[in-house]
Amino acid sequence: MVHPENSEEYKGLIVNKGIEQPSSVNPYLKRTKKRHLSVGDYVEGIIKGDVTTLSRAVTLVESVRTEHQVIAQEVIEKCLPYAGNSVRIGISGVPGAGKSTSIDVFGLHVLQQGGKLAVLAIDPSSERSKGSILGDKTRMEKLSVHPDSFIRPSPSAGSLGGVARKTRETIVLCEAAGFDKIFVETVGVGQSETAVHSMVDFFLLIQLAGTGDELQGIKRGIMEMADGIVINKADGNNIDKAKLAASQFRNALHLFPAPESGWTPQVLTYSGFYNTGVKEIWDMVYQYIDFVKANGYFDFRRNEQSKYWMYETINEHLRDSFYHNPMIEKMLGEREQQVLDRNLTSFVAAKKLLDAYFEALKK
Ligand SMILES: Nc1nc2c(ncn2[C@@H]2O[C@H](COP(=O)(O)OP(=O)(O)OP(=O)(O)O)[C@@H](O)[C@H]2O)c(=O)[nH]1
Ligand SMILES: [Mg+2]
């Protein structure tokens, strides 16, 4: 007897012979296993401006694994001839000052004139950077989907010096990939400004108008670093307060010695949220760049920064080599205890450790 499915009477029910299935429904799924790239592949991809390759190279730069570092350093070296052709802006401000909101509008503003923008960060506390990645995704909503932008959160692990060096190296890769505008964001709560200052052409400090004593909380050193101070949230009934704060900052700046650049730092008010006063800020930045390019300070500062990073890198490697030496790791605790027990002075203990380290190197 014919099965009803195959009987003439129920033609519509006839089961067709199956067709051969592809081995995977989505052919692209197979690609999830990343192809291994050689140094040459990385460099070629970066120079072509391929953002996926750039991202992977930055991941290598950030990696703590020695084999990744070896490749990363070679890639950086080969990218160096293509780097340097950008304007680098440091953007700092206390948490809540409006950095992310501002970078979104600043970024769109500078991209209106063409070119490509990379937004990097230096944030040595890994805990915070995890939080701010989420925050930045929503606060930089326009920039994060802009085809000419590349946003990379701070490298998370390690000392401030280590984190900053990785960001400095990432700048090289981004520039080689054709990014001609680089923003480096940092939270204005301490040493990280110095690190950012050591790798940018213009240092922009975002401030808020507050209770009238805003100048007290700001470290003198940070203000001295600023090439421009901008008071954010000058909107609604906050406009007058912002203007007042601006004049207080202007007065305070007069008390500082004139900057080496010959430029007088400007103080402006704006609203990142309502996008007012943003053009004036960028007119100021470009005016500064023209000014220091004309008087030679632009190149001078970049040279100083290159020297700084050479010595920083040496210091970091020496420190790492010392503290990761297995013998030193063993001896450190014991010597420390001897110092605490007053059996050794700090200096003698340090000298003994260093001598032991240099002796070990000879073997
Ligand atoms: N009124 C007003 N509010 C603003 C302005 N800019 C930012 N805000 C608000 O201030 C808060 C903090 O802004 P963010 O851009 O996240 O500040 P941030 O400096 O990036 O903060 P962290 O990432 O925590 O360091 C948010 O609620 C913003 O909506 C502004 O121009 N005016
Ligand atoms: Mg933020």
Side-chain angles (χ1 to χ4, degrees):
M1 196 190 139
V2 189
H3 191 277
E5 277 184 357
N6 293 331
S7 87
E8 273 294 299
E9 205 182 333
Y10 303 105
K11 242 187 172 154
L13 288 178
I14 288 177
V15 178
N16 289 318
K17 197 167 158 275
I19 55 160
E20 208 170 300
Q21 293 297 311
S23 55
S24 165
V25 177
N26 179 350
Y28 298 103
L29 277 181
K30 276 190 274 182
R31 295 216 191 139
T32 48
K33 195 160 185 290
K34 282 184 188 162
R35 193 167 70 86
H36 176 80
L37 298 182
S38 69
V39 170
D41 295 335
Y42 277 112
V43 176
E44 196 190 317
I46 290 171
I47 290 165
K48 270 198 291 193
D50 176 45
V51 173
T52 312
T53 313
L54 173 65
S55 290
R56 286 183 63 181
V58 174
T59 304
L60 284 188
V61 167
E62 291 174 355
S63 169
V64 290
R65 284 170 57 181
T66 317
E67 66 267 32
H68 289 166
Q69 276 304 310
V70 171
I71 302 173
Q73 292 309 319
E74 257 185 82
V75 173
I76 292 168
E77 200 184 313
K78 294 212 160 70
C79 283
L80 216 44
Y82 303 91
N85 197 12
S86 76
V87 175
R88 307 168 185 160
I89 316 285
I91 298 175
S92 177
V94 293
K99 295 178 296 299
S100 305
T101 313
S102 301
I103 287 172
D104 203 41
V105 291
F106 290 171
L108 292 181
H109 181 83
V110 301
L111 283 174
Q112 272 170 12
Q113 290 135 32
K116 298 203 291 177
L117 168 70
V119 180
L120 313 175
I122 295 183
D123 182 358
S125 86
S126 54
E127 278 314 305
R128 216 201 72 92
S129 33
K130 270 183 225 141
S132 67
I133 297 170
L134 289 175
D136 290 345
K137 279 259 175 276
T138 52
R139 298 251 153 77
M140 297 191 200
E141 60 180 347
K142 298 207 191 74
L143 200 56
S144 60
V145 296
H146 196 290
D148 300 318
S149 80
F150 175 71
I151 301 177
R152 186 86 185 187
S154 174
S156 54
S159 64
L160 171 61
V163 169
R165 182 175 55 77
K166 288 169 188 172
T167 304
R168 176 71 188 83
E169 291 174 341
T170 300
I171 291 180
V172 172
L173 300 183
C174 290
E175 288 177 349
F179 288 85
D180 59 344
K181 296 164 190 82
I182 314 276
F183 289 176
V184 186
E185 180 198 324
T186 195
V187 188
V189 287
Q191 291 294 305
S192 53
E193 289 90 351
T194 319
V196 172
H197 189 251
S198 65
M199 63 182 81
V200 297
D201 307 312
F202 187 99
F203 188 78
L204 188 70
L205 184 59
I206 298 181
Q207 291 290 337
L208 291 177
T211 51
D213 56 1
E214 42 273 292
L215 293 181
Q216 290 177 11
I218 303 160
K219 291 198 197 70
R220 195 193 149 100
I222 297 175
M223 269 190 67
E224 266 176 292
M225 264 186 251
D227 301 299
I229 296 177
V230 288
I231 321 284
N232 189 19
K233 309 196 187 182
D235 45 49
N237 50 16
N238 204 25
I239 295 184
D240 290 339
K241 268 201 264 176
K243 285 189 179 149
L244 179 67
S247 64
Q248 288 174 331
F249 275 108
R250 274 184 213 111
N251 290 337
L253 283 172
H254 285 309
L255 305 175
F256 294 158
E260 255 184 323
S261 57
W263 165 263
T264 312
Q266 312 271 302
V267 184
L268 300 171
T269 62
Y270 78 108
S271 167
F273 196 81
Y274 294 100
N275 199 350
T276 53
V278 170
K279 179 181 181 297
E280 287 74 7
I281 294 176
W282 289 91
D283 288 349
M284 162 181 76
V285 172
Y286 290 125
Q287 206 189 331
Y288 170 90
I289 299 292
D290 288 344
F291 179 80
V292 293
K293 279 197 171 161
N295 75 3
Y297 183 77
F298 185 90
D299 289 332
F300 170 81
R301 179 152 155 184
R302 284 211 171 172
N303 288 341
E304 288 296 303
Q305 291 172 339
S306 300
K307 278 198 289 188
Y308 171 88
W309 283 104
M310 184 182 98
Y311 289 109
E312 266 301 295
T313 309
I314 294 174
N315 293 346
E316 197 191 327
H317 281 281
L318 287 178
R319 231 185 341 253
D320 268 6
S321 159
F322 177 79
Y323 286 110
H324 291 147
N325 182 299
M327 191 190 59
I328 295 297
E329 278 177 345
K330 262 191 256 152
M331 288 170 70
L332 219 45
E334 191 191 328
R335 292 287 185 225
E336 193 183 297
Q337 197 53 50
Q338 286 174 316
V339 171
L340 294 179
D341 295 340
R342 306 208 196 293
N343 291 333
L344 280 183
T345 69
S346 314
F347 311 105
V348 172
K351 182 80 171 51
K352 280 183 187 298
L353 284 161
L354 287 167
D355 285 346
Y357 171 70
F358 289 123
E359 239 356 272
L361 285 189
K362 284 186 201 151
K363 282 173 200 156

